[in-house]
Amino acid sequence: MSEENTAVLIAGGGIVGLSAAVFLRRHRVPVLLVERHPGTSMLAKARVLSPRTMELYRGHGLEEAVRAAPPSVFLAATDVVRATTLIGPEEYRGSRPPGESVAWASPCPPALVEQSTVEPLVRARAEELGADVRFHTELGEVTQDADGVTASVTDRASGRRHTVRARYLIAADGHRSPLRDALGIHTRGRRLAHVVNIAFEADLGAALRGRSVGLAYLARPVPGTLLARLDGADRWVLMVPYDPERGEDPRDFTPERCVADVRAAVGAPGLAVRVLPAVPGTDRVVHTWELASWVAEEYRRDRILLAGDAVHVMPPSGGLGANTGIQDVHNLAWKLAAVLQGRAGAALLDTYEPERRPVAELTCALSTRLQEERAGAGGADAAARAGRIALGLGYRYDSEAVVASDDEDGLGASGRPGTRAPHLALVRDGRACSGIDLYGPGFTLVLGPDAAADVLLAPDALAAPAGSAAGDGCLEVLRIGREVTDPAGRWAAAHGVGGNGAVLVRPDGFVAWRAPVWDAESARELPGVLARVLALPRLSVAAGR
């Protein structure tokens, strides 16, 4: 078999794998993505992209395309009901509240759009940036050694097989992740139910009786059934639990069984139903998934790194799963790039799990709470909705890639190392921007408006190390009041330092370190900070006047 080489091989062409390709290409990392299905999925999955996800897409040229895309049918179909059948009397009826404003915390409101609409946009952007994206291509046996990963890949259309040699592999291959299973990585958490999705077309106008139903919790054909709009007025998905321990199997859901189950759920025995393929271009009738809440015991095994549903699964309530996975690979992309381009030691990748695992565990807990409240007493309470925003914007990383000084307790909580650098209205090059727009693809040192003007970094502090891509390895230095202006005078307070302080921000927009006062001493400290964050020996960067 022939062999080809790439820096990063991505297994899985869902929204997480495609986002990983976009993020890595921003750092000019060669990427090959393989996905066994012939195209992106049409099934209802994530319907809300969080403010944080939209911030990431904003920084990678995707926000405008997502905002311009057709909105989710859930934008108008806001009613949530519980009943035995859709046509029958309601036991509960509520309405999903409008999204809370996040203008105080982010320049990016959430986007209510179907994942099936977003995935082709992300794929197109990845390809535009130079990613090699191959659908209908199946990943086979994978082995790894001290220098990289060797994978067998098959073009499913032609049957041609070849091998791919990559430095690292990202497993974004879903909740049943063959790669996770092959590595013997176990999961911890709760498995609540096995579910089949039946996508179908039908005119449910008579059963809806004028109601704008987006979700219906039903007792037919079995308790725990959920009916949801798919992507149009007459396109729906019925989610039916089944129990393998009782001998039930997804293969039992023949086209005839699917039609019968839809009719039972709606309460209309003669309803005209057209079952849609679970995956476009295939004859699969149903798609299976687990209603579960778990996190894998390991996020990494040597040169294989797990992300998205391969490493955590959570109930769909709250729409947090895909967003969490996208943020996984954003955290991972800059680290892989730094290691591959010689700007960081391999140990930087050891910070991926301790930074992302706590986020996944908290998100699983919140999603489970939201699911239980929605399926039981009704809608989610205000505290749970507020928690959803906090998990998107307010979490804090604690790892070797974050450096907190001994006097952190005496500084403000905003801008604390390990947190996302705050949003505030600034002006750069005569154009209004957010604070989050200042960061990436390299590190950024922001000096306060009153920071000592005569304390400078030596030229080699700004140089990219040998072998790295031009630009990515550079430390960009911005001064409030010079390169960037702060019309409201809020920068210092927002970052928890004085006007003469400084903040070092990582390529992912998280604060790596801050100095309450920028002076010769803090300038001399900076090389050690960068060395620690990048898992390198102490850098030879000097401060000068």
Side-chain angles (χ1 to χ4, degrees):
M1 293 188 294
S2 61
E3 180 176 290
E4 59 181 315
N5 292 274
T6 189
V8 177
L9 175 63
I10 300 173
I15 197 166
V16 172
L18 291 167
S19 296
V22 170
F23 300 152
L24 284 164
R25 285 305 301 154
R26 189 191 186 200
H27 296 283
R28 293 180 289 278
V29 173
V31 171
L32 169 60
L33 181 150
V34 296
E35 164 58 52
R36 66 184 302 271
H37 291 124
T40 54
S41 175
M42 59 160 280
L43 290 175
K45 295 180 182 177
R47 297 183 185 270
V48 180
L49 296 180
S50 70
R52 181 55 182 161
T53 293
M54 291 306 296
E55 289 179 359
L56 304 185
Y57 282 173
R58 171 189 180 103
H60 290 79
L62 273 165
E63 184 185 18
E64 289 186 6
V66 172
R67 301 270 184 217
S72 169
V73 294
F74 273 38
L75 189 64
T78 59
D79 289 355
V80 179
V81 301
R82 188 183 309 108
T84 299
T85 65
L86 183 64
I87 206 168
E90 296 173 355
E91 300 169 9
Y92 163 84
R93 183 178 182 182
S95 181
R96 293 190 311 282
E100 301 87 344
S101 172
V102 296
W104 57 274
S106 173
C108 300
L112 195 63
V113 60
E114 311 292 348
Q115 182 172 328
S116 56
T117 300
V118 175
E119 285 183 356
L121 301 177
V122 183
R123 176 181 179 177
R125 181 58 175 158
E127 292 173 334
E128 179 184 0
L129 292 172
D132 187 348
V133 177
R134 302 181 195 175
F135 275 66
H136 216 200
T137 302
E138 188 160 13
L139 186 70
E141 182 181 3
V142 175
T143 59
Q144 57 178 324
D145 53 44
D147 299 317
V149 175
T150 301
S152 170
V153 172
T154 303
D155 183 316
R156 300 186 73 189
S158 66
R160 174 181 173 269
R161 292 182 60 210
H162 67 284
T163 61
V164 174
R165 180 69 176 170
R167 296 278 302 280
Y168 291 94
L169 188 156
I170 296 177
D173 52 346
H175 71 281
R176 285 187 290 264
S177 177
L179 282 165
R180 186 189 65 238
D181 288 347
L183 292 170
I185 296 176
H186 301 292
T187 63
R188 292 181 182 176
R190 300 167 59 190
R191 284 168 170 77
L192 307 175
H194 294 269
V195 182
V196 296
N197 280 3
I198 303 170
F200 68 95
E201 289 182 347
D203 180 359
L204 303 187
L208 290 171
R209 304 188 303 278
R211 297 172 295 173
S212 298
V213 174
L215 291 170
Y217 292 85
L218 306 172
R220 298 285 184 272
V222 296
T225 295
L226 177 63
L227 177 67
R229 290 189 183 266
L230 186 54
D231 56 6
D234 295 328
R235 288 163 64 93
W236 299 78
V237 59
L238 187 71
M239 307 174 203
V240 182
Y242 69 97
D243 189 351
E245 294 185 0
R246 295 182 179 179
E248 298 175 351
D249 190 280
R251 290 171 293 186
D252 299 336
F253 289 83
T254 63
E256 296 75 18
R257 163 79 180 272
C258 291
V259 170
D261 281 356
V262 169
R263 290 171 172 170
V266 176
L271 182 69
V273 178
R274 175 174 173 256
V275 176
L276 304 173
V279 178
T282 73
D283 57 1
R284 282 181 54 192
V285 179
V286 297
H287 169 79
T288 61
W289 57 284
E290 286 183 338
L291 180 60
S293 178
W294 55 254
V295 179
E297 292 182 346
E298 298 176 58
Y299 272 50
R300 176 189 178 195
R301 181 70 63 81
D302 300 322
R303 289 179 175 263
I304 299 177
L305 302 111
L306 281 64
D309 286 353
V311 78
H312 49 66
V313 167
M314 56 202 68
S317 293
L320 300 172
N323 289 290
T324 305
I326 292 167
Q327 292 159 39
D328 286 343
V329 290
H330 187 255
N331 178 282
L332 185 56
W334 76 268
K335 297 175 180 178
L336 277 170
V339 172
L340 287 165
Q341 294 168 354
R343 295 180 283 107
L348 176 61
L349 298 177
D350 294 338
T351 67
Y352 171 54
E353 179 171 340
E355 291 191 349
R356 294 304 301 169
R357 171 187 287 281
V359 177
E361 291 172 342
L362 289 170
T363 307
C364 281
L366 178 61
S367 297
T368 302
R369 175 182 171 186
L370 289 167
Q371 180 74 23
E372 291 171 345
E373 290 175 345
R374 181 174 290 175
D381 62 24
R385 294 196 301 271
R388 189 169 55 203
I389 296 175
L391 273 175
L393 298 172
Y395 52 82
R396 181 186 178 194
Y397 292 149
D398 183 9
S399 77
E400 290 299 311
V402 173
V403 180
S405 61
D406 294 337
D407 59 353
E408 278 298 328
D409 291 340
L411 300 175
S414 297
R416 186 181 293 271
T419 63
R420 162 187 158 276
H423 157 64
L424 68 162
L426 301 172
V427 176
R428 185 176 187 183
D429 298 328
R431 300 179 61 181
C433 69
S434 165
I436 69 166
D437 297 325
L438 303 179
Y439 312 120
F443 282 77
T444 306
L445 179 68
V446 186
L447 305 179
D450 303 322
D454 59 345
V455 176
L456 304 175
L457 295 173
D460 59 345
L462 308 179
S468 67
D472 279 359
C474 297
L475 172 67
E476 184 175 22
V477 180
L478 300 175
R479 186 185 298 275
I480 302 299
R482 185 178 298 177
E483 294 85 4
V484 177
T485 58
D486 175 20
R490 295 184 53 238
W491 181 87
H495 290 80
V497 297
N500 57 351
V503 176
L504 178 69
V505 182
R506 307 187 323 185
D508 60 353
F510 277 71
V511 177
W513 170 81
R514 61 181 175 177
V517 176
W518 176 253
D519 54 18
E521 181 179 352
S522 53
R524 283 191 293 270
E525 185 181 351
L526 180 62
V529 168
L530 284 166
R532 175 174 165 183
V533 170
L534 293 171
L536 289 171
R538 184 173 177 85
L539 301 178
S540 57
V541 177
R545 290 187 178 274

